[in-house]
Amino acid sequence: MLTSCEVNNLDPQTALSETTAFQTPERIALAVAGVYDGGQSGFYAGNAVRGYTFGAAHIEQGDMRGEDMALAATFYGITYQNNYDPTQPNNVYYWQNAYAMINRANIVIAGLKTVQPSTALTQAQIDVYEAECRLLRAMAHHYLLVNFSRPYSDNPTAAAGGVPYRTTAVTGGASVDEALKQGRNTVAECYDKIIEDLNYAEEKLPDTRTGNLKITRATKGAAIALKTRVRLHQNNWAEVIKEANKLVSTAAPFTSPVGAYALTASPLGAFGSANKSNSESIFSMENNDVDNAGTNGAMAAMYSAVSTNGRGIVLISPILWNQPFFPAGDLRKAASAIAQDTPGSAGKGGNFTRKYPDVTTRSENAPIIRYAEVLLNLAEAIARTSTGVDTRALALLSAVRNRAVQTPADQYTAASFATNKDLVRAIINERRPEFLAEGLRWHDIHRLAQDADFKQADGIPSKAAIAISNFAPLYTNNSTTTFTREPAVPYSDFRFLWPIPAEELINNPTLAKQQNPGY
């Protein structure tokens, strides 16, 4: 069944079967919207909205797998302390919801093949619908790879190292039997299919849309931007540059010829009241006041301080706060960007982001990719392929950094770097404060895990301990500050990856033989 929703109104609509969903243009539009709903809702335990695959939960899980956000409660303790197993909710429901959404996409794609074009629904619009589904399908498979498979740099052609890349609709009967025969693709095969889907999306999607749909419905710019991320995970610097150059001008000010994307003047200009309408957000997952991840999942609930009526669960870690590349005068540390709690009745103390301030209706869209990421992706790829300190790479880095770091002494110049490797390191470092509380930290830890020069740790980094009773004194702007930490997990440890859920292994005899080692 396709549980559908209006494009601009996420109130659930009547469920449509795959045999009736493609009989009218209106029903087809609802079916496509239902694929987005599958990415936004992401149910927990069957009925509680949490935001797997692309909603709130994916952001929180991405942060809790890394060290730049800390945990002031035990709410995400299993992920934060790396104690998952094949039955634990977060990895189980991520897998289930991701593949449920993928199957929705595949059902819609198959249904679209049966539709005869008309004046009410042209072939071009049918192609756009398919492109949207293929973009979402590609994203879901990529996120599954980042959590359940080793990075591309680690033997991408190893048998059954990736995830099952599903492109066929499973609707019952023979399709179920066929699906149960499909095991894990190689990582390389998965990436090839991801790029194939995103290439189709780029070709068929509109350059832009109007209103909130410019951000919450797939566009050509979103497909290109996601390709820069995927190619970065492949260490394919030439392809990152080729794709990013479609969106980034050769010199500052950097404004995209596709979609007119541009950095906002403020480092938090894509958040708060501007979350649904700004020049920087390329693609986000829609939430609203009647359909969001609730008090147990929404970003505003989890990331906001108790002092601002949030739950005070996930705060900025002193590990990130005290890094030299995150100076005291950085506007991302200013009162306009940070809310503070005091220990005691207001939680454990510490600094919380103001990126998601709507604690009342919890309506903020979940960010997927911003123009700032495209600029830093391009900067890294250029710097990695340069023999010296490349001026364009430096300009791209500075465009992102200098809107937050406005003191000249803290800004970078060519003299700041002796080699191109030093510049690459600064670009990777800049991603950490720029994308804090957006779930991207794990992506970088994962893709760089085997990088000889820039791996972030030997596996999963150590993190600020949940047991810390008062975080407030730990924000010293001094990287030598010590405090209790959760232990690191080596890359060789089986816990670097999430396990395939036990239920999947029971139901799928092929995957039962392909569980991640150690589980």
Side-chain angles (χ1 to χ4, degrees), residues 49-89:
V49 173
R50 287 291 186 274
Y52 311 96
T53 304
F54 304 130
H58 101 275
I59 292 176
E60 292 142 5
Q61 292 300 308
D63 282 332
M64 290 296 89
R65 297 207 72 186
E67 81 282 33
D68 285 348
M69 303 298 291
L71 189 57
T74 59
F75 196 91
Y76 296 111
I78 290 170
T79 300
Y80 193 75
Q81 296 178 310
N82 310 300
N83 290 328
Y84 23 75
D85 63 43
T87 67
Q88 293 293 349

Side-chain angles (χ1 to χ4, degrees), residues 321 323-333 401 404-405 410 430 477:
W321 189 274
Q323 293 298 323
F325 55 78
F326 197 12
D330 194 309
L331 295 181
R332 292 167 295 196
K333 288 183 173 180
R401 179 177 173 82
V405 179
D410 291 326
E430 191 61 29
N477 293 303

Side-chain angles (χ1 to χ4, degrees), residues 449-517:
Q450 292 288 278
D451 194 295
D453 297 309
F454 306 110
K455 68 180 178 180
Q456 303 298 279
D458 180 22
I460 303 174
S462 64
K463 308 168 186 179
I466 296 176
I468 294 172
S469 59
N470 181 9
F471 282 88
L474 305 180
Y475 299 100
T476 63
N477 293 303
N478 184 342
S479 59
T480 64
T481 302
T482 59
F483 41 85
T484 308
R485 298 198 182 201
E486 304 291 344
V489 173
Y491 179 76
S492 59
D493 192 292
F494 67 94
R495 290 173 295 166
F496 185 82
L497 301 181
W498 278 351
I500 297 175
E503 183 179 47
E504 182 77 14
L505 302 181
I506 292 170
N507 292 329
N508 188 326
T510 304
L511 284 177
K513 301 173 184 178
Q514 297 177 341
Q515 174 64 286
N516 283 326

